[in-house]
Amino acid sequence: MRILGIDPGFATIGFGLVEAERGQARMETYGAITTPAGLPLSRRLYQIGTDMEELIGQLKPDVISIEELFFNTNITTGIAVAHGRGVLLYAAEKCGVPLFEYTPSQVKLAVTGYGKAEKRQVMDMTRRLLKLKAVPRPDDAADALALALCHARSMTSRLPQAGNVTETV
């Protein structure tokens, strides 16, 4: 199964493609979609959507695993990220790729075994599980690979639900 992990944003959107089979996962590719800071938000959102549709077309994932939003202290940034995330959800739906959503705690638990793990622990375990020489950069790409791993490790315990393309886990 080809799993495309997406770490949502509006300036930098991390992505990571993992091939998962029989309890094993292998990194295929990773990177980031970026938008220039000087552009109006509407133009950045348009670019995110266009780039994501192109990425989905190139990588041909079986499913997409995306992070649910977690609002910290900066609500303004959170709202902009929510806009970007909405465009990502739209692109997945438009391309007909099933979408699964995971909370940060679920990703941490799936990757490290501890739902309150620190970011560096998640990044290091992602590196180890995928047998990589170094933690992927930028951090957004490493986070996206962790999201793909989360789905790979969760999918064996999930029953497919016919007709329900978007699922919150």
Side-chain angles (χ1 to χ4, degrees), residues 106-134:
Q106 288 172 314
V107 175
K108 291 174 182 181
L109 182 62
V111 174
T112 69
Y114 179 56
K116 294 183 180 183
E118 294 179 25
K119 185 175 180 84
R120 64 176 177 73
Q121 292 172 302
V122 176
M123 295 173 100
D124 188 55
M125 280 305 296
T126 298
R127 178 191 63 79
R128 289 174 179 212
L129 290 168
L130 293 174
K131 299 175 177 68
L132 304 174
K133 292 180 181 177

Side-chain angles (χ1 to χ4, degrees), residues 3 18 20 23-25 102 147-156:
I3 306 164
V18 168
Q24 298 296 313
Y102 296 94
L147 278 149
L149 277 174
C150 176
H151 185 72
R153 302 187 105 196
S154 301
M155 71 181 182
T156 55

Side-chain angles (χ1 to χ4, degrees), residues 10-27:
F10 71 98
T12 305
I13 298 91
F15 68 87
L17 184 70
V18 168
E19 179 76 37
E21 193 175 312
R22 295 185 189 97
Q24 298 296 313
R26 183 180 73 250
M27 187 277 299

Side-chain angles (χ1 to χ4, degrees), residues 10-11 13 33-51 83-84 87:
F10 71 98
I13 298 91
I33 293 171
T34 59
T35 62
L39 291 180
L41 180 61
S42 60
R43 179 68 189 135
R44 291 172 94 172
L45 296 174
Y46 177 80
Q47 182 179 337
I48 290 167
T50 302
D51 290 352
H83 288 312
V87 170

